[in-house]
Amino acid sequence: MADAPNPPKKPGWNWWKNFQYDEGQDSPGDARNVLLIVAALIAAVTFQAGVNPPGGVWQDGHYAGRAIYATQKAPFYVFLISNTLALSTAIFIIISLTYKFPFHLEVLVATVSMIVTYGSAVFAVTPDESVQFRYVLTAAALPFIIRFSIQVFKMYKPKCVSYFMNHF
């Protein structure tokens, strides 16, 4: 059997460019749909990981219903903060990409409810002494704070630049 012909390799050809967004070829609607699918998958996986933490929960004794993984404080912190950051970012993307869509209010209510459910489940399975919840709440708010800060900076950037150019 003869070998299948390989595409000619151009100097500097990069296979990764075939998968990147191309304004001339890809429509914004298709890009939005792909982002919604990816964000929904990330939200589903991270939600499940938070509700049912790695290693499960203690079944008996004083710590019944608490995450077994929480006994390893530093690794559990990394897991919990990273997972919460991923979930809140995915939720933020879903809310942003469905803005002004039909049923946007319903999507907003569902995603906010999902975050509240995630938070209550994490608080239920995490021993109070193993996590300081202000770090988890900060991780949950971070994508919203960053986007808000970027928007404020873009709004005031011309004024700030002209101020510094005139005064310094």
Short mmCIF file of all heavy atoms in Angstrom, two decimals, residues 53-107:
data_model
loop_
_atom_site.label_atom_id
_atom_site.label_comp_id
_atom_site.label_asym_id
_atom_site.label_seq_id
_atom_site.Cartn_x
_atom_site.Cartn_y
_atom_site.Cartn_z
N PRO A 53 -15.59 16.08 45.85
CA PRO A 53 -14.14 16.32 45.78
C PRO A 53 -13.33 15.03 45.57
O PRO A 53 -13.80 13.94 45.91
CB PRO A 53 -13.82 16.96 47.12
CG PRO A 53 -14.94 16.60 48.01
CD PRO A 53 -16.14 16.37 47.16
N PRO A 54 -12.12 15.17 45.03
CA PRO A 54 -11.26 14.01 44.83
C PRO A 54 -11.02 13.27 46.14
O PRO A 54 -10.81 13.89 47.17
CB PRO A 54 -9.95 14.61 44.31
CG PRO A 54 -10.29 15.97 43.84
CD PRO A 54 -11.49 16.41 44.61
N GLY A 55 -11.11 11.98 46.09
CA GLY A 55 -10.93 11.17 47.29
C GLY A 55 -12.22 10.92 48.03
O GLY A 55 -12.25 10.12 48.95
N GLY A 56 -13.28 11.63 47.67
CA GLY A 56 -14.57 11.42 48.31
C GLY A 56 -14.66 12.11 49.66
O GLY A 56 -13.91 13.02 49.97
N VAL A 57 -15.61 11.66 50.44
CA VAL A 57 -15.84 12.23 51.77
C VAL A 57 -15.81 11.13 52.81
O VAL A 57 -16.06 9.96 52.52
CB VAL A 57 -17.19 13.00 51.83
CG1 VAL A 57 -17.18 14.21 50.93
CG2 VAL A 57 -18.35 12.09 51.49
N TRP A 58 -15.49 11.51 54.04
CA TRP A 58 -15.49 10.56 55.15
C TRP A 58 -16.91 10.04 55.34
O TRP A 58 -17.87 10.80 55.31
CB TRP A 58 -15.00 11.21 56.43
CG TRP A 58 -13.57 11.63 56.41
CD1 TRP A 58 -13.10 12.90 56.30
CD2 TRP A 58 -12.42 10.79 56.49
NE1 TRP A 58 -11.72 12.91 56.30
CE2 TRP A 58 -11.28 11.61 56.43
CE3 TRP A 58 -12.24 9.42 56.61
CZ2 TRP A 58 -9.98 11.12 56.48
CZ3 TRP A 58 -10.93 8.93 56.66
CH2 TRP A 58 -9.84 9.77 56.60
N GLN A 59 -17.03 8.75 55.59
CA GLN A 59 -18.34 8.14 55.77
C GLN A 59 -18.74 7.98 57.23
O GLN A 59 -19.91 7.97 57.55
CB GLN A 59 -18.38 6.76 55.08
CG GLN A 59 -18.14 6.82 53.59
CD GLN A 59 -19.19 7.63 52.85
OE1 GLN A 59 -20.37 7.48 53.11
NE2 GLN A 59 -18.75 8.51 51.96
N ASP A 60 -17.74 7.83 58.10
CA ASP A 60 -18.02 7.58 59.51
C ASP A 60 -17.22 8.53 60.39
O ASP A 60 -16.26 9.16 59.96
CB ASP A 60 -17.62 6.14 59.89
CG ASP A 60 -18.42 5.09 59.14
OD1 ASP A 60 -19.62 5.32 58.93
OD2 ASP A 60 -17.83 4.06 58.75
N GLY A 61 -17.63 8.60 61.63
CA GLY A 61 -16.84 9.32 62.62
C GLY A 61 -17.13 10.80 62.67
O GLY A 61 -18.11 11.31 62.13
N HIS A 62 -16.21 11.49 63.33
CA HIS A 62 -16.35 12.92 63.58
C HIS A 62 -16.37 13.72 62.28
O HIS A 62 -17.02 14.77 62.20
CB HIS A 62 -15.19 13.38 64.48
CG HIS A 62 -15.21 14.84 64.79
ND1 HIS A 62 -16.20 15.42 65.56
CD2 HIS A 62 -14.38 15.84 64.44
CE1 HIS A 62 -15.96 16.72 65.66
NE2 HIS A 62 -14.86 17.00 65.00
N TYR A 63 -15.64 13.28 61.26
CA TYR A 63 -15.54 14.02 60.00
C TYR A 63 -16.49 13.50 58.92
O TYR A 63 -16.28 13.77 57.75
CB TYR A 63 -14.11 13.98 59.48
CG TYR A 63 -13.16 14.80 60.30
CD1 TYR A 63 -12.18 14.20 61.07
CD2 TYR A 63 -13.24 16.18 60.30
CE1 TYR A 63 -11.30 14.96 61.83
CE2 TYR A 63 -12.38 16.95 61.06
CZ TYR A 63 -11.41 16.33 61.81
OH TYR A 63 -10.55 17.08 62.56
N ALA A 64 -17.51 12.76 59.28
CA ALA A 64 -18.46 12.23 58.29
C ALA A 64 -19.03 13.36 57.44
O ALA A 64 -19.45 14.41 57.94
CB ALA A 64 -19.59 11.48 58.99
N GLY A 65 -18.98 13.16 56.13
CA GLY A 65 -19.47 14.17 55.20
C GLY A 65 -18.45 15.21 54.81
O GLY A 65 -18.72 16.08 53.99
N ARG A 66 -17.25 15.14 55.36
CA ARG A 66 -16.18 16.10 55.05
C ARG A 66 -15.22 15.51 54.03
O ARG A 66 -15.03 14.29 53.97
CB ARG A 66 -15.40 16.48 56.32
CG ARG A 66 -16.24 17.05 57.40
CD ARG A 66 -16.80 18.38 57.00
NE ARG A 66 -17.55 18.97 58.10
CZ ARG A 66 -17.91 20.22 58.14
NH1 ARG A 66 -17.61 21.03 57.17
NH2 ARG A 66 -18.59 20.66 59.15
N ALA A 67 -14.61 16.36 53.23
CA ALA A 67 -13.70 15.91 52.18
C ALA A 67 -12.46 15.24 52.79
O ALA A 67 -11.81 15.81 53.67
CB ALA A 67 -13.28 17.08 51.30
N ILE A 68 -12.14 14.07 52.29
CA ILE A 68 -10.93 13.37 52.73
C ILE A 68 -9.70 14.15 52.30
O ILE A 68 -8.73 14.28 53.06
CB ILE A 68 -10.91 11.92 52.17
CG1 ILE A 68 -12.06 11.12 52.77
CG2 ILE A 68 -9.57 11.25 52.44
CD1 ILE A 68 -12.28 9.76 52.13
N TYR A 69 -9.75 14.70 51.11
CA TYR A 69 -8.61 15.45 50.56
C TYR A 69 -8.27 16.68 51.40
O TYR A 69 -7.14 17.16 51.39
CB TYR A 69 -8.96 15.86 49.12
CG TYR A 69 -7.82 16.34 48.28
CD1 TYR A 69 -6.52 15.87 48.42
CD2 TYR A 69 -8.05 17.28 47.27
CE1 TYR A 69 -5.50 16.31 47.61
CE2 TYR A 69 -7.03 17.73 46.46
CZ TYR A 69 -5.76 17.24 46.63
OH TYR A 69 -4.75 17.69 45.82
N ALA A 70 -9.22 17.19 52.17
CA ALA A 70 -8.99 18.38 52.99
C ALA A 70 -7.99 18.13 54.10
O ALA A 70 -7.49 19.08 54.71
CB ALA A 70 -10.30 18.88 53.57
N THR A 71 -7.67 16.86 54.38
CA THR A 71 -6.65 16.57 55.39
C THR A 71 -5.27 16.99 54.93
O THR A 71 -4.37 17.14 55.74
CB THR A 71 -6.65 15.07 55.76
OG1 THR A 71 -6.38 14.30 54.59
CG2 THR A 71 -7.99 14.66 56.37
N GLN A 72 -5.09 17.13 53.62
CA GLN A 72 -3.83 17.65 53.05
C GLN A 72 -4.07 19.12 52.71
O GLN A 72 -4.51 19.45 51.61
CB GLN A 72 -3.45 16.85 51.81
CG GLN A 72 -3.28 15.38 52.08
CD GLN A 72 -3.09 14.61 50.79
OE1 GLN A 72 -2.75 15.16 49.76
NE2 GLN A 72 -3.29 13.31 50.86
N LYS A 73 -3.77 19.97 53.65
CA LYS A 73 -4.20 21.37 53.58
C LYS A 73 -3.71 22.11 52.32
O LYS A 73 -4.53 22.68 51.60
CB LYS A 73 -3.75 22.11 54.83
CG LYS A 73 -4.40 23.45 55.00
CD LYS A 73 -4.10 24.04 56.36
CE LYS A 73 -4.82 25.36 56.51
NZ LYS A 73 -4.67 25.91 57.83
N ALA A 74 -2.42 22.11 52.05
CA ALA A 74 -1.90 22.88 50.91
C ALA A 74 -2.42 22.35 49.57
O ALA A 74 -2.90 23.13 48.75
CB ALA A 74 -0.38 22.90 50.94
N PRO A 75 -2.35 21.04 49.32
CA PRO A 75 -2.88 20.55 48.04
C PRO A 75 -4.39 20.81 47.90
O PRO A 75 -4.86 21.10 46.80
CB PRO A 75 -2.60 19.05 48.07
CG PRO A 75 -1.49 18.87 49.03
CD PRO A 75 -1.66 19.96 50.04
N PHE A 76 -5.12 20.72 49.01
CA PHE A 76 -6.56 20.97 48.93
C PHE A 76 -6.84 22.43 48.62
O PHE A 76 -7.75 22.75 47.86
CB PHE A 76 -7.25 20.56 50.24
CG PHE A 76 -8.74 20.64 50.17
CD1 PHE A 76 -9.46 19.78 49.35
CD2 PHE A 76 -9.44 21.57 50.92
CE1 PHE A 76 -10.84 19.85 49.27
CE2 PHE A 76 -10.83 21.65 50.85
CZ PHE A 76 -11.53 20.79 50.02
N TYR A 77 -6.05 23.35 49.18
CA TYR A 77 -6.17 24.76 48.85
C TYR A 77 -5.96 24.99 47.36
O TYR A 77 -6.72 25.70 46.72
CB TYR A 77 -5.12 25.59 49.61
CG TYR A 77 -5.67 26.41 50.73
CD1 TYR A 77 -5.26 26.16 52.04
CD2 TYR A 77 -6.55 27.45 50.51
CE1 TYR A 77 -5.73 26.93 53.09
CE2 TYR A 77 -7.02 28.21 51.56
CZ TYR A 77 -6.61 27.95 52.84
OH TYR A 77 -7.07 28.70 53.87
N VAL A 78 -4.91 24.40 46.82
CA VAL A 78 -4.62 24.56 45.39
C VAL A 78 -5.79 24.05 44.57
O VAL A 78 -6.25 24.70 43.63
CB VAL A 78 -3.31 23.83 45.01
CG1 VAL A 78 -3.13 23.79 43.51
CG2 VAL A 78 -2.11 24.51 45.68
N PHE A 79 -6.29 22.86 44.91
CA PHE A 79 -7.43 22.29 44.19
C PHE A 79 -8.64 23.20 44.30
O PHE A 79 -9.28 23.53 43.29
CB PHE A 79 -7.76 20.89 44.73
CG PHE A 79 -9.16 20.45 44.38
CD1 PHE A 79 -9.45 20.04 43.10
CD2 PHE A 79 -10.17 20.49 45.32
CE1 PHE A 79 -10.74 19.65 42.75
CE2 PHE A 79 -11.46 20.11 44.99
CZ PHE A 79 -11.74 19.69 43.70
N LEU A 80 -8.99 23.59 45.50
CA LEU A 80 -10.21 24.33 45.72
C LEU A 80 -10.19 25.70 45.05
O LEU A 80 -11.16 26.11 44.39
CB LEU A 80 -10.46 24.48 47.23
CG LEU A 80 -11.82 24.98 47.66
CD1 LEU A 80 -12.93 24.10 47.12
CD2 LEU A 80 -11.88 25.04 49.17
N ILE A 81 -9.08 26.41 45.17
CA ILE A 81 -8.99 27.74 44.56
C ILE A 81 -8.93 27.64 43.05
O ILE A 81 -9.62 28.39 42.34
CB ILE A 81 -7.79 28.51 45.15
CG1 ILE A 81 -8.12 28.87 46.60
CG2 ILE A 81 -7.48 29.76 44.34
CD1 ILE A 81 -7.00 29.46 47.39
N SER A 82 -8.16 26.70 42.51
CA SER A 82 -8.08 26.53 41.05
C SER A 82 -9.43 26.10 40.48
O SER A 82 -9.86 26.60 39.44
CB SER A 82 -7.02 25.49 40.70
OG SER A 82 -5.76 25.90 41.14
N ASN A 83 -10.08 25.19 41.15
CA ASN A 83 -11.39 24.71 40.68
C ASN A 83 -12.43 25.82 40.73
O ASN A 83 -13.20 25.99 39.78
CB ASN A 83 -11.83 23.52 41.55
CG ASN A 83 -12.96 22.77 40.92
OD1 ASN A 83 -12.82 22.22 39.84
ND2 ASN A 83 -14.09 22.74 41.60
N THR A 84 -12.42 26.60 41.79
CA THR A 84 -13.37 27.70 41.92
C THR A 84 -13.10 28.78 40.88
O THR A 84 -14.04 29.31 40.27
CB THR A 84 -13.29 28.31 43.34
OG1 THR A 84 -13.57 27.28 44.28
CG2 THR A 84 -14.27 29.45 43.52
N LEU A 85 -11.84 29.08 40.62
CA LEU A 85 -11.48 30.05 39.59
C LEU A 85 -11.93 29.58 38.21
O LEU A 85 -12.48 30.36 37.42
CB LEU A 85 -9.97 30.31 39.62
CG LEU A 85 -9.44 31.37 38.66
CD1 LEU A 85 -10.05 32.73 38.96
CD2 LEU A 85 -7.93 31.44 38.77
N ALA A 86 -11.72 28.30 37.91
CA ALA A 86 -12.15 27.76 36.62
C ALA A 86 -13.67 27.81 36.48
O ALA A 86 -14.18 28.18 35.42
CB ALA A 86 -11.64 26.33 36.46
N LEU A 87 -14.38 27.44 37.53
CA LEU A 87 -15.85 27.47 37.47
C LEU A 87 -16.36 28.89 37.27
O LEU A 87 -17.21 29.14 36.41
CB LEU A 87 -16.46 26.87 38.73
CG LEU A 87 -18.00 26.94 38.79
CD1 LEU A 87 -18.63 26.07 37.73
CD2 LEU A 87 -18.49 26.56 40.17
N SER A 88 -15.86 29.83 38.05
CA SER A 88 -16.37 31.20 37.95
C SER A 88 -16.00 31.83 36.61
O SER A 88 -16.78 32.61 36.05
CB SER A 88 -15.91 32.06 39.12
OG SER A 88 -14.51 32.18 39.13
N THR A 89 -14.85 31.49 36.06
CA THR A 89 -14.48 31.99 34.73
C THR A 89 -15.40 31.42 33.67
O THR A 89 -15.86 32.14 32.78
CB THR A 89 -13.01 31.65 34.43
OG1 THR A 89 -12.17 32.21 35.44
CG2 THR A 89 -12.60 32.19 33.07
N ALA A 90 -15.68 30.11 33.75
CA ALA A 90 -16.58 29.49 32.78
C ALA A 90 -17.98 30.10 32.87
O ALA A 90 -18.62 30.38 31.85
CB ALA A 90 -16.62 27.99 33.00
N ILE A 91 -18.45 30.32 34.09
CA ILE A 91 -19.77 30.93 34.29
C ILE A 91 -19.78 32.35 33.72
O ILE A 91 -20.73 32.76 33.05
CB ILE A 91 -20.15 30.93 35.78
CG1 ILE A 91 -20.35 29.52 36.30
CG2 ILE A 91 -21.38 31.79 36.04
CD1 ILE A 91 -21.51 28.77 35.72
N PHE A 92 -18.71 33.09 33.95
CA PHE A 92 -18.61 34.45 33.42
C PHE A 92 -18.65 34.44 31.89
O PHE A 92 -19.32 35.28 31.27
CB PHE A 92 -17.33 35.12 33.91
CG PHE A 92 -17.16 36.52 33.41
CD1 PHE A 92 -17.94 37.54 33.93
CD2 PHE A 92 -16.24 36.82 32.43
CE1 PHE A 92 -17.80 38.84 33.46
CE2 PHE A 92 -16.09 38.11 31.96
CZ PHE A 92 -16.87 39.13 32.48
N ILE A 93 -17.96 33.50 31.27
CA ILE A 93 -17.97 33.39 29.81
C ILE A 93 -19.38 33.07 29.31
O ILE A 93 -19.85 33.66 28.33
CB ILE A 93 -16.95 32.34 29.33
CG1 ILE A 93 -15.52 32.85 29.57
CG2 ILE A 93 -17.15 31.99 27.86
CD1 ILE A 93 -14.46 31.80 29.38
N ILE A 94 -20.05 32.14 29.97
CA ILE A 94 -21.41 31.78 29.56
C ILE A 94 -22.34 32.99 29.67
O ILE A 94 -23.12 33.28 28.76
CB ILE A 94 -21.93 30.60 30.41
CG1 ILE A 94 -21.16 29.32 30.05
CG2 ILE A 94 -23.43 30.40 30.20
CD1 ILE A 94 -21.39 28.17 31.00
N ILE A 95 -22.26 33.71 30.79
CA ILE A 95 -23.11 34.89 30.97
C ILE A 95 -22.78 35.95 29.92
O ILE A 95 -23.69 36.56 29.33
CB ILE A 95 -22.94 35.45 32.40
CG1 ILE A 95 -23.56 34.50 33.42
CG2 ILE A 95 -23.57 36.84 32.52
CD1 ILE A 95 -23.25 34.85 34.86
N SER A 96 -21.51 36.17 29.65
CA SER A 96 -21.11 37.19 28.67
C SER A 96 -21.55 36.84 27.25
O SER A 96 -22.01 37.70 26.50
CB SER A 96 -19.59 37.36 28.68
OG SER A 96 -19.16 37.82 29.94
N LEU A 97 -21.40 35.57 26.87
CA LEU A 97 -21.72 35.17 25.50
C LEU A 97 -23.22 35.04 25.25
O LEU A 97 -23.64 34.99 24.09
CB LEU A 97 -21.02 33.85 25.15
CG LEU A 97 -19.50 33.93 25.05
CD1 LEU A 97 -18.91 32.56 24.78
CD2 LEU A 97 -19.07 34.91 23.96
N THR A 98 -24.01 34.97 26.29
CA THR A 98 -25.46 34.88 26.10
C THR A 98 -26.17 36.21 26.41
O THR A 98 -27.40 36.25 26.43
CB THR A 98 -26.06 33.77 26.99
OG1 THR A 98 -25.77 34.04 28.35
CG2 THR A 98 -25.53 32.41 26.59
N TYR A 99 -25.40 37.26 26.60
CA TYR A 99 -25.96 38.57 26.89
C TYR A 99 -26.85 39.03 25.73
O TYR A 99 -26.47 38.91 24.57
CB TYR A 99 -24.85 39.58 27.15
CG TYR A 99 -25.34 40.96 27.50
CD1 TYR A 99 -25.99 41.18 28.70
CD2 TYR A 99 -25.17 42.02 26.63
CE1 TYR A 99 -26.45 42.45 29.03
CE2 TYR A 99 -25.61 43.28 26.96
CZ TYR A 99 -26.26 43.49 28.16
OH TYR A 99 -26.72 44.74 28.47
N LYS A 100 -28.02 39.53 26.05
CA LYS A 100 -29.02 40.01 25.09
C LYS A 100 -29.58 38.89 24.21
O LYS A 100 -30.12 39.16 23.15
CB LYS A 100 -28.48 41.16 24.24
CG LYS A 100 -28.25 42.43 25.03
CD LYS A 100 -27.99 43.60 24.13
CE LYS A 100 -27.85 44.85 24.97
NZ LYS A 100 -27.62 46.04 24.16
N PHE A 101 -29.41 37.66 24.62
CA PHE A 101 -30.03 36.53 23.93
C PHE A 101 -31.41 36.31 24.53
O PHE A 101 -31.68 36.73 25.67
CB PHE A 101 -29.21 35.25 24.14
CG PHE A 101 -28.12 35.03 23.14
CD1 PHE A 101 -27.44 36.09 22.59
CD2 PHE A 101 -27.79 33.76 22.73
CE1 PHE A 101 -26.43 35.89 21.67
CE2 PHE A 101 -26.80 33.55 21.81
CZ PHE A 101 -26.12 34.62 21.28
N PRO A 102 -32.28 35.63 23.79
CA PRO A 102 -33.54 35.23 24.42
C PRO A 102 -33.24 34.35 25.64
O PRO A 102 -32.28 33.57 25.62
CB PRO A 102 -34.25 34.41 23.34
CG PRO A 102 -33.60 34.79 22.06
CD PRO A 102 -32.20 35.21 22.40
N PHE A 103 -34.01 34.49 26.66
CA PHE A 103 -33.85 33.73 27.91
C PHE A 103 -32.55 34.05 28.64
O PHE A 103 -32.09 33.24 29.44
CB PHE A 103 -33.96 32.21 27.66
CG PHE A 103 -35.27 31.79 27.09
CD1 PHE A 103 -35.37 31.40 25.77
CD2 PHE A 103 -36.41 31.79 27.88
CE1 PHE A 103 -36.58 31.02 25.23
CE2 PHE A 103 -37.63 31.41 27.35
CZ PHE A 103 -37.72 31.02 26.01
N HIS A 104 -31.98 35.21 28.41
CA HIS A 104 -30.75 35.58 29.12
C HIS A 104 -31.00 35.65 30.63
O HIS A 104 -30.15 35.22 31.41
CB HIS A 104 -30.18 36.91 28.62
CG HIS A 104 -28.97 37.35 29.38
ND1 HIS A 104 -27.76 36.70 29.27
CD2 HIS A 104 -28.79 38.32 30.31
CE1 HIS A 104 -26.89 37.27 30.08
NE2 HIS A 104 -27.48 38.26 30.71
N LEU A 105 -32.13 36.18 31.02
CA LEU A 105 -32.44 36.26 32.45
C LEU A 105 -32.47 34.87 33.07
O LEU A 105 -31.93 34.66 34.16
CB LEU A 105 -33.77 36.98 32.68
CG LEU A 105 -34.22 37.08 34.14
CD1 LEU A 105 -33.22 37.89 34.95
CD2 LEU A 105 -35.61 37.68 34.22
N GLU A 106 -33.05 33.92 32.36
CA GLU A 106 -33.13 32.55 32.87
C GLU A 106 -31.74 31.92 32.96
O GLU A 106 -31.43 31.20 33.91
CB GLU A 106 -34.05 31.70 31.99
CG GLU A 106 -35.52 32.05 32.13
CD GLU A 106 -35.96 33.29 31.35
OE1 GLU A 106 -35.13 33.91 30.66
OE2 GLU A 106 -37.15 33.65 31.45
N VAL A 107 -30.91 32.19 31.96
CA VAL A 107 -29.53 31.69 32.00
C VAL A 107 -28.78 32.31 33.18
O VAL A 107 -28.05 31.63 33.90
CB VAL A 107 -28.78 31.98 30.66
CG1 VAL A 107 -27.30 31.69 30.77
CG2 VAL A 107 -29.40 31.19 29.53
#
